[in-house]
Amino acid sequence: MAMSRTLRRTNPITLILAALLAIGFVFFIFSPSSGASSIALKSKHNSPASNPLSPATAPFRKDTSTGSGKRTPPPVVRYQLNNVTTSPTPAANSEVVLILTPLARFYQGYWDNLLSLTYPHHLIAIGFIIPKNKEGNAATAALQAAIQKTQSGAEAKRFASITILRQDFETPGGQDEAERHKMENQRARRGAMSRARNSLLFTTIGPSTAWVLWLDSDIVETPPTLIEDLAHHDKPIVVPNCFQRYVGDDGKKAIRPYDYNSWQDSDQAQALAAKMGPEDILVEGYHDMATYRTLMAGIADTSDSRDQTKIMSLDGVGGTALLVKAEVHRDGAMFPPFPFYHLIETEGFARMAQRLGWTCWGLPNYFVYHYNE
């Protein structure tokens, strides 16, 4: 049969190019977009976030514009919370740890200790909340300088992400140690601290967060293996003993207990609570309120040969250093800024967690150290 006149005049190269163009068009229409591929990659906890809506625990990079200058749409990412593990070997399972620190003053010792932690830094996200006042401004400036130096330095020392929040409410009272610890200031001070902790927690916890380590800004010394050591016990809530180094009148170096908020309850304390009004709270460490609770700070073995793995059940916990499985917070355990069973802040958190079915544990012979003012 004779070939049509149109086909005889068509160059074979033109036919090949047309076929390639058609194939390319079909591939473009039916293949997933590059954005979808990048979203799949970014669903991993240690990948950079691509949009302001991404979790605060992922590093954020703002370059989301297309070649035409239009911004790409926000990503839609699915997270399987059942796949978030909390195990005795968190580093081996690439479990993300969120370190949260309410910060009123910046201590270089705190930051240096943070850098010395042996837990892989690419699995650590950090969040800070700072008062909106003159002292907070100074702390923010010092913190940002430390962050800039770390995050632009050796890659192994860089953290996955760092978030800084400024409080949207006033902090009652002064920040010196004597003023903070006056008994009459405890409800207002610790209520404000609860609000700060909750704001920080609710803003920064992400769907990939496995553990939350609460670490006060005046904790300047911990074992480098702090995260691994606490997680090894595989408890929902675990707290070490907080001590303070000092020099005695005889000129010798010594240590003393600092945090008295980790305790086992007593019948006397419960009897006191039964007589209290609905807005009254029980606090520890004051002669005017004898609770006769078993304080973890009071039963520590300070000898060099002590068993640092010894563990005990607790009814109240302090927050100077506190490791919490993220699912405890996701279940609703927060820091009540109001009297909750006559308890507030971290002790109220412990009671709330217990009401949700979780247990609290302490390590009486495992020490972290508070700055000595």
Side-chain angles (χ1 to χ4, degrees), residues 62-78:
K62 291 185 178 180
D63 187 16
T64 59
S65 60
T66 63
S68 63
K70 295 182 179 179
R71 295 183 64 83
T72 56
V76 177
V77 186
R78 293 182 178 87

Side-chain angles (χ1 to χ4, degrees), residues 220-241:
V220 294
E221 181 186 346
T222 72
T225 54
L226 174 68
I227 294 173
E228 295 94 327
D229 294 343
L230 298 186
H232 178 72
H233 293 276
D234 197 22
K235 299 298 185 183
I237 302 167
V238 62
V239 58
N241 226 341

Side-chain angles (χ1 to χ4, degrees), residues 22-60:
I23 293 171
F25 179 76
V26 172
F27 180 80
F28 175 78
I29 291 297
F30 293 102
S31 66
S33 67
S34 60
S37 300
S38 64
I39 291 170
L41 289 173
K42 290 179 172 78
S43 65
K44 295 182 179 180
H45 53 254
N46 59 347
S47 299
S50 61
N51 189 272
L53 299 180
S54 300
T57 45
F60 170 56

Side-chain angles (χ1 to χ4, degrees), residues 95-113:
E95 294 170 3
V96 175
V97 177
L98 174 61
I99 299 179
L100 296 181
T101 297
L103 187 144
R105 293 179 181 175
F106 177 80
Y107 294 99
Q108 187 61 45
Y110 162 87
W111 189 257
D112 292 342
N113 184 74

Side-chain angles (χ1 to χ4, degrees), residues 163-351:
T163 302
I164 300 176
L165 306 179
R166 297 303 297 270
Q167 284 180 198
D168 55 355
F169 56 90
E170 296 295 325
T171 300
Q175 289 298 329
D176 64 276
E177 189 170 10
E179 188 71 19
R180 288 202 311 268
H181 292 291
K182 287 182 178 178
M183 185 174 176
E184 60 269 23
N185 293 337
Q186 290 311 294
R187 180 175 170 185
R189 185 187 74 83
R190 297 190 67 188
M193 179 61 72
S194 294
R195 293 177 63 191
R197 289 186 186 275
N198 291 332
S199 295
L200 182 57
L201 172 66
F202 298 152
T203 305
T204 57
I205 191 170
S208 300
T209 305
W211 302 87
V212 178
L213 174 63
W214 293 94
L215 192 65
D216 278 2
S217 63
D218 33 25
I219 296 300
V220 294
E221 181 186 346
T222 72
T225 54
L226 174 68
I227 294 173
E228 295 94 327
D229 294 343
L230 298 186
H232 178 72
H233 293 276
D234 197 22
K235 299 298 185 183
I237 302 167
V238 62
V239 58
N241 226 341
C242 182
F243 271 60
Q244 188 178 55
R245 297 191 186 276
Y246 73 103
V247 177
D249 295 335
D250 56 1
K252 294 182 179 179
K253 295 180 179 180
I255 61 173
R256 59 191 174 198
Y258 183 85
D259 189 350
Y260 294 93
N261 294 331
S262 298
W263 41 259
Q264 293 176 335
D265 213 352
S266 67
D267 293 338
Q268 293 91 333
Q270 293 181 26
L272 279 175
K275 299 175 183 178
M276 286 183 162
E279 299 301 315
D280 295 330
I281 62 170
L282 286 165
V283 289
E284 277 304 328
Y286 299 91
H287 294 295
D288 295 338
M289 188 176 288
T291 63
Y292 299 99
R293 291 165 170 159
T294 300
L295 305 182
M296 188 170 74
I299 61 173
D301 177 3
T302 59
S303 68
D304 293 337
S305 59
R306 65 184 181 273
D307 177 12
Q308 297 189 48
T309 64
K310 181 181 178 180
I311 194 166
M312 59 185 291
S313 63
L314 294 174
D315 297 303
V317 297
T320 52
L322 175 67
L323 187 68
V324 182
K325 290 188 176 183
E327 58 188 313
V328 176
H329 284 310
R330 290 195 184 100
D331 272 3
M334 53 83 164
F335 302 90
F338 49 83
F340 183 76
Y341 290 85
H342 302 290
L343 302 171
I344 201 167
E345 206 217 351
T346 58
E347 295 157 293
F349 160 74
R351 179 60 57 87

